[in-house]
């Protein structure tokens, strides 16, 4: 069973490549960003909390996100066929919680795909998306804040996964299809 973490800065192509990975490997897609945006749209209590963090470019508290993930894994039998974790984990405590949650279910992270993209390209992609997405976090001020948060809170995860031998660096610049070929090559020995 494949459990893939797709990892990278905001705008690195996590959501984009996840769509292609689902198609090829038949995995269940968990995007914490999508889950939170659904809660915001529904106007739930969690959505109100999420909105207050996302619109400022900040991460939600680890406890809220870990709880959300645990409930989803418990109530979604399809996750037992393998999962793409998109946008989770984003901090070391989230990564440790994921290892524990998967171990309790008799499985583990198979590989971490690290999409590596230049900062100018990240900003360019997110500003372009902002013209059509209507997302409260796709504006220059919030994008800069999200990149700061990524550098301080999320990049330490790279070392966490390099040390346990799971990290696969992928050059994330160029066409979506070329990047996808690099990802499938990196996953070839993981089946
Ligand atoms: P996410 O929804 O995960 O947002 P993201 O980092 O911007 O990634 P996304 O998947 O949307 O974009 P992608 O790179 O695919 O998170 C949003 C917020 O939710 C976070 O800031 C945080 O507040 C909160 N949150 C989520 N998870 C959390 C967690 N675990 N803990 C705490 N808080 C959490 O694509 C970006 C753009 O680039 C797209 O327009 C795409 O079309 C384009 N693109 C992709 N590949 C390209 C390519 N090769 N060339 C050109 N353009 C490309």
């Amino acid at each position: 069973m494949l459990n893939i973490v797709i990892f990278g800065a905001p705008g690195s192509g996590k959501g984009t490549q996840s769509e292609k990975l689902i198609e090829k490997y038949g995995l269940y897609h968990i995007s914490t960003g999508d889950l939170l945006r659904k809660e915001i749209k529904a106007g739930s209590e969690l959505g109100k909390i999420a909105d207050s963090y996302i619109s400022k470019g900040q991460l939600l508290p680890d406890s809220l996100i870990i709880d959300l993930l645990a409930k989803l894994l418990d109530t979604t039998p399809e996750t037992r066929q393998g999962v793409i974790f998109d946008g989770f984990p984003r901090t070391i405590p989230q990564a440790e919680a994921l290892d524990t949650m998967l171990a309790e279910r008799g499985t583990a992270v198979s590989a971490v795909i690290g999409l590596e993209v230049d900062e100018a390209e990240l900003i360019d992609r997110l500003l372009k998306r902002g013209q059509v997405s209507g997302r409260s976090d796709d504006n220059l001020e919030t994008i800069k804040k999200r990149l700061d948060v990524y550098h301080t809170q999320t990049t330490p995860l790279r070392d966490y996964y390099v040390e346990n031998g799971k990290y696969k660096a992928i050059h994330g610049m160029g066409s979506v299809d070329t990047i996808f070929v690099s990802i499938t090559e990196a996953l070839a020995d993981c089946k």
Side-chain angles (χ1 to χ4, degrees):
M1 181 170 90
L2 272 184
N3 287 306
I4 298 168
V5 171
I6 190 145
F7 174 85
S12 57
K14 301 184 294 290
T16 306
Q17 295 296 334
S18 291
E19 294 302 328
K20 296 179 76 69
L21 285 163
I22 297 158
E23 225 176 273
K24 183 169 170 79
Y25 297 101
L27 303 172
Y28 189 83
H29 184 202
I30 297 181
S31 158
T32 40
D34 287 351
L35 289 172
L36 296 172
R37 280 185 290 277
K38 264 188 212 145
E39 295 289 334
I40 294 173
K41 216 172 162 194
S44 68
E45 269 318 300
L46 175 60
K48 284 176 198 150
I49 298 169
D51 193 29
S52 68
Y53 286 92
I54 291 177
S55 59
K56 292 194 205 100
Q58 293 167 349
L59 297 182
L60 273 80
D62 287 333
S63 56
L64 276 183
I65 293 287
I66 291 166
D67 204 33
L68 182 72
L69 250 288
K71 279 190 189 130
L72 187 67
L73 290 176
D74 282 342
T75 55
T76 316
E78 298 92 309
T79 58
R80 290 185 206 126
Q81 75 204 21
V83 176
I84 295 183
F85 294 94
D86 164 7
F88 178 90
R90 264 175 153 96
T91 62
I92 297 280
Q94 290 183 19
E96 289 170 346
L98 180 62
D99 285 346
T100 305
M101 282 189 269
L102 293 179
E104 281 166 4
R105 290 163 179 81
T107 182
V109 170
S110 318
V112 176
I113 296 296
L115 294 171
E116 303 193 340
V117 177
D118 294 350
E119 193 130 328
E121 168 84 6
L122 295 171
I123 294 172
D124 188 51
R125 287 182 190 178
L126 292 171
L127 285 176
K128 275 196 192 124
R129 184 173 68 184
Q131 291 168 6
V132 290
S133 69
R135 275 176 57 164
S136 63
D137 56 350
D138 280 347
N139 59 76
L140 190 55
E141 194 190 337
T142 314
I143 291 166
K144 285 189 172 156
K145 175 71 191 163
R146 287 159 70 195
L147 288 169
D148 280 350
V149 166
Y150 173 75
H151 290 307
T152 52
Q153 291 177 256
T154 306
T155 46
L157 270 185
R158 189 181 183 281
D159 292 341
Y160 179 89
Y161 286 120
V162 167
E163 275 162 29
N164 69 15
K166 305 233 161 127
Y167 190 82
K168 297 182 184 294
I170 301 290
H171 181 63
M173 312 269 290
S175 80
V176 169
D177 288 340
T178 308
I179 297 164
F180 184 63
V181 170
S182 308
I183 295 175
T184 54
E185 285 169 0
L187 290 176
D189 58 349
C190 285
K191 276 234 114 177

